[in-house]
Amino acid sequence: MKPKMVIGNWKMNKSFEEADDLMIAIGEQLAGLRLETGVVLCPPYLYLELATDLAQEAEFTVGAQNCSELKNGAVTGEISAEMLAHLDVEFCIVGHSERRKFFHESNQTIAKKTDILLESQLIPVVCCGEVIEERKAGQHFEVVEKQIKESLFHLSKEDFESVVIAYEPVWAIGTGETATPEQAEEMHAFIRQLIEKKYGTETAYATYILYGGSCNAQNALELFSQPNVDGGLIGGASLKAEEFVGIIEAAETVIKEN
Ligand code: PGA
């Protein structure tokens, strides 16, 4: 089993001081653990520089939550991938369901953002996942397949190998209703098969497929024990140091036991 990855998506939360305190607390709790798990914090844009400064001495790296699909220019309020790269940001979440819903991001927009991030050597964390109506109608595999194919399958094998995928069933995000380990495993195995068909076995195995949606320190162990669940994209539970570190410890436990 390859090492796990745990990414904290803070969304639009925390004051500057609270963000500082939380990063320091996470850094302190992770210090000396000699982690195998890759840990990434994705605070709001305004705290990225603070995060990358602290990351120099800590066991985490830093990601953004979004970027513009354009390289630069007259797009008021946007932040480019290149700007993120200059701040030593290494990851960027793309196509989160909240952005699909509130900002009408399509698979095509997500494909463009993925390209622009790769151009700036950032690692795109590309989100996919069905809404509850789609799951109830038995369309979840079809929906996720379309999202993955339209946003990622234009990439060369080499570029694809830099991408992280996060499966986040929308009905599980922020609801306290986690996908069962079986539901997560089933979808992750399906995604891995899609990758295998397109890019081959080695790439499929190496690709990180994270689970997101009400993952916490209590359920992480069981979720991460599934063979195709390579870690988690964590929202609410990443806003408290102990809870987030508990999830990272679960990831470490799974790796040590396998
Ligand atoms: P949640 O969010 O852990 O609060 O459900 C996950 C996400 O939106 O990335």
Side-chain angles (χ1 to χ4, degrees):
M1 208 180 242
K2 59 183 182 285
K4 303 280 183 197
M5 184 183 289
V6 175
I7 304 183
N9 174 12
W10 292 14
K11 309 192 181 180
M12 195 170 69
N13 289 298
K14 303 288 178 192
S15 67
F16 187 87
E17 268 148 31
E18 288 165 348
D20 193 18
D21 288 348
L22 180 55
M23 287 174 203
I24 290 172
I26 292 170
E28 280 175 359
Q29 292 186 31
L30 296 182
L33 289 187
R34 285 209 249 121
L35 294 178
E36 283 194 59
T37 305
V39 179
V40 185
L41 303 188
C42 302
Y45 284 137
L46 286 173
Y47 313 148
L48 285 173
E49 195 169 4
L50 175 68
T52 52
D53 280 351
L54 290 171
Q56 288 178 16
E57 308 277 318
E59 296 269 347
F60 59 77
T61 50
V62 179
Q65 298 172 16
N66 179 39
C67 72
S68 170
E69 68 193 77
L70 300 168
K71 209 170 164 58
N72 55 19
V75 268
T76 302
E78 288 290 83
I79 301 285
S80 74
E82 201 174 282
M83 292 171 188
L84 298 173
H86 282 151
L87 282 186
D88 297 328
V89 170
E90 292 178 42
F91 292 76
C92 183
I93 300 169
V94 210
H96 190 279
S97 63
E98 287 148 18
R99 296 218 53 96
R100 291 179 190 261
K101 183 174 173 194
F102 301 128
F103 302 92
H104 313 294
E105 288 191 7
S106 64
N107 294 335
Q108 288 69 29
T109 313
I110 293 157
K112 283 190 204 156
K113 291 188 179 194
T114 302
D115 290 345
I116 211 124
L117 284 165
L118 290 168
E119 245 180 71
S120 291
Q121 269 92 51
L122 270 93
I123 298 174
V125 181
V126 179
C127 303
C128 60
E130 78 286 355
V131 298
I132 190 66
E133 294 75 19
E134 291 163 340
R135 178 159 283 264
K136 282 188 177 155
Q139 295 164 344
H140 42 296
F141 292 115
E142 208 180 300
V143 168
V144 168
E145 179 169 357
K146 188 166 156 60
Q147 289 172 334
I148 301 260
K149 285 189 170 166
E150 291 185 358
S151 50
L152 292 176
F153 278 10
H154 63 289
L155 296 174
S156 68
K157 184 173 152 82
E158 197 193 343
D159 277 347
F160 184 85
E161 285 173 353
S162 299
V163 170
V164 170
I165 293 176
Y167 169 59
E168 300 204 303
V170 181
W171 45 271
I173 297 178
T175 58
E177 192 188 336
T178 323
T180 63
E182 294 73 27
Q183 285 171 323
E185 172 59 20
E186 184 184 42
M187 183 59 86
H188 284 229
F190 174 74
I191 295 171
R192 209 176 294 286
Q193 250 177 38
L194 292 177
I195 302 169
E196 187 171 12
K197 268 192 225 148
K198 171 84 180 164
Y199 295 107
T201 309
E202 221 174 292
T203 302
Y205 176 75
T207 302
Y208 273 82
I209 308 176
L210 311 182
Y211 169 78
S214 299
C215 181
N216 57 38
Q218 281 70 51
N219 59 30
L221 187 71
E222 218 188 331
L223 284 162
F224 296 172
S225 298
Q226 304 305 311
N228 283 292
V229 178
D230 300 316
L233 178 55
I234 319 296
S238 71
L239 296 171
K240 290 190 197 121
E242 266 166 40
E243 184 78 19
F244 187 58
V245 172
I247 295 171
I248 296 160
E249 282 168 350
E252 289 290 294
T253 305
V254 175
I255 289 304
K256 287 193 183 112
E257 284 174 358
N258 282 277

